[in-house]
Amino acid sequence: MWPKLPQRMYLQDSFQRRFFRMNVQAPPRLLELGAQCLLHNEALAIMALEELPIELFPPLFMEAFAGRHTEALKAMVQAWPFPCLPLGALMQDHQPHLDTFQAALDGLDVLLAQEVCPRRWKLQVLDLRRKTHQDFWTLWSGMKVSVCSLLEPEPAQPMQKRCRVEAQAGLKPEQAPVEVLVDLCIKEDTLDETLSYLLKKAKKRGKLLHIRCQKLRIFTMPMKSIRKILKVVQLDSIQDLEVNCIWKLATLSRFLPHLGRMGNLRRLLLSRIHILPHTTPDQENCVNQLSAQFLNLPHLQELYLDSISFLEGRLHQVLRCLNTPLETLSITNCLISESDLTYLSQCPSVSLLKDLGLSGVNLTSLNLESLQVLIERTSATLQELDLDECGIMDSQFSALLPSLSGCSQLTTFSFCGNPISMAVLESLLHHTMGLSKLSHVLYPAPLESYEDVHGTLHLGLLAQLHARLKQLLCKSGRSSMFWVSASPCPHCGDQILYDTEPILCPCYLPD
């Protein structure tokens, strides 16, 4: 039977006393039990929110989310006493349900619909990213709380101050927009229900609800759906973009206006863009349009071009409008010409590269003097170099060794899949011995480790040759340098790695 105190005050007083009697290292189970007690009557819990101490909001929210108390969730979003609600981190720990996600957005929608700023309104950011603020809920659940300042309310934000000043002056306060932070991965023919619901709310509230997306991944999806999503996303918030679609160049051209508005983009990956066999003026215009977009990307640092069929003979067209130095340039599984390689060695935007990748670019028939010049230009900054599967022959590789020996910052060098002899490998070892930061070298099985012209790898021969390289490393005082051989399995194509012992694929293992 309830005491004479009103039920709301009784629950509130009981829950507060129970919390503050605890030591900060007390088992979190007490908080959970208190939250469950309060949520037994959801209506009373909602009534108590106005006076509930802020330190009780996170554990109560966690319990409401786990127990799918949608009305309580909706009300708690409106009364959330912190500038940020990291809902994504909570969704990672608890299997999210559409109804709980919708309840949180509904609460935000009600909040934005109010003409007068609520007294306790501090929410500015709804963070739906799952790998950020992961310690927030742990701290506030009582498991690690040790800093008293965490319990203090945040100072009023400028917009809230302005709301109060304008209200006192008799003016209708201008409402600050709430930002929703989310990483998007678009890979289906139709949008999932959670994303659709978020887009619906953003479209409804317009300038009051900003969707900010730091990372955007686009896989197979109709261009119409992609443009529908981008229409409600703050494009200047995107810093990391991957377009991994089998697109024709004409399709890419429809996407380019959106790319040009991503002014804070730092990383861009374009993959599997192809052209028709016969070049047309429209295709040339599309290439020029792509290049022109780089003028609008002043913060671009990393550029990845994978399986781009139109690069051969046009690399200068694509890269000529880059107006900032790149840290990473990766051109993989593409055809390029000797003139492309020459331009690359002279391109102003590659002089400060930290990471250069040309994996899968066939260099067998090219003069690699330009690559040598490129390596020399970047020798003061280059940290990672990937020349896997380039078809580089002994004579070509030997010509690169003097340039490699000057790369003082190099930490990782990979050149698997190239037909290199043991003599050239030993020469590489001697040329790079003075590179104190070089710690990882991934090399192909030398030609001498194959049994025949059909490319049958002999593991015994490979072991002997690898032992020889390890011995040379030890004699040179670089035994800690990690030299690993990687070669494709002749049966399935998977990589076989060899350090001190081979790491075999199942094809080599007995049944």
Side-chain angles (χ1 to χ4, degrees), residues 325-340:
L326 294 175
E327 292 186 1
T328 297
L329 176 62
S330 176
I331 301 174
T332 56
N333 304 309
C334 299
L335 291 176
I336 65 172
S337 65
E338 199 157 309
S339 63
D340 292 327

Side-chain angles (χ1 to χ4, degrees), residues 85-120:
L85 172 54
L87 186 61
L90 193 60
M91 292 168 65
Q92 180 167 315
D93 295 333
H94 300 274
Q95 181 63 36
H97 296 277
L98 182 61
D99 55 350
T100 51
F101 178 78
Q102 289 181 342
L105 289 186
D106 288 343
L108 182 59
D109 188 56
V110 172
L111 186 64
L112 295 175
Q114 299 181 36
E115 294 186 0
V116 179
C117 302
R119 182 178 66 85
R120 299 187 67 173

Side-chain angles (χ1 to χ4, degrees), residues 266-396:
R266 285 163 172 73
R267 180 179 181 273
L268 171 62
L269 181 148
L270 296 177
S271 180
R272 298 189 295 172
I273 311 297
H274 61 92
I275 62 174
L276 299 175
H278 303 290
T279 304
T280 65
D282 287 342
Q283 291 177 342
E284 291 299 325
N285 289 336
C286 289
V287 175
N288 290 329
Q289 288 175 28
L290 171 61
S291 176
Q293 301 310 315
F294 289 129
L295 293 172
N296 302 317
L297 307 178
H299 302 291
L300 189 65
Q301 297 176 342
E302 302 179 34
L303 178 60
Y304 300 82
L305 302 173
D306 175 67
S307 302
I308 307 295
S309 68
F310 58 81
L311 275 191
E312 187 175 16
R314 298 187 180 91
L315 194 59
H316 67 289
Q317 285 180 255
V318 175
L319 301 183
R320 62 186 170 87
C321 290
L322 287 171
N323 53 16
T324 54
L326 294 175
E327 292 186 1
T328 297
L329 176 62
S330 176
I331 301 174
T332 56
N333 304 309
C334 299
L335 291 176
I336 65 172
S337 65
E338 199 157 309
S339 63
D340 292 327
L341 199 56
T342 299
Y343 172 77
L344 193 58
S345 69
Q346 303 168 354
C347 180
S349 296
V350 302
S351 60
L352 299 178
L353 281 180
K354 294 181 179 179
D355 187 348
L356 173 62
L358 296 174
S359 175
V361 176
N362 193 328
L363 302 176
T364 304
S365 60
L366 303 185
N367 186 331
L368 297 192
E369 288 184 8
S370 295
L371 180 57
Q372 183 179 350
V373 172
L374 176 59
I375 294 174
E376 289 174 354
R377 281 189 66 201
T378 59
S379 60
T381 57
L382 193 62
Q383 298 176 9
E384 297 186 20
L385 178 59
D386 184 354
L387 298 177
D388 287 351
E389 306 288 344
C390 289
I392 299 176
M393 312 296 286
D394 270 1
S395 59
Q396 294 173 303

Side-chain angles (χ1 to χ4, degrees), residues 74-80 82 85 104-126 175-178 205 208-209:
K74 183 177 177 180
M76 292 192 73
V77 169
Q78 299 170 55
W80 190 249
F82 304 96
L85 172 54
L105 289 186
D106 288 343
L108 182 59
D109 188 56
V110 172
L111 186 64
L112 295 175
Q114 299 181 36
E115 294 186 0
V116 179
C117 302
R119 182 178 66 85
R120 299 187 67 173
W121 183 8
K122 292 188 180 297
L123 184 60
Q124 300 169 15
V125 177
L126 175 63
Q175 192 166 327
V178 173
R205 290 301 167 194
L208 294 179
L209 186 61

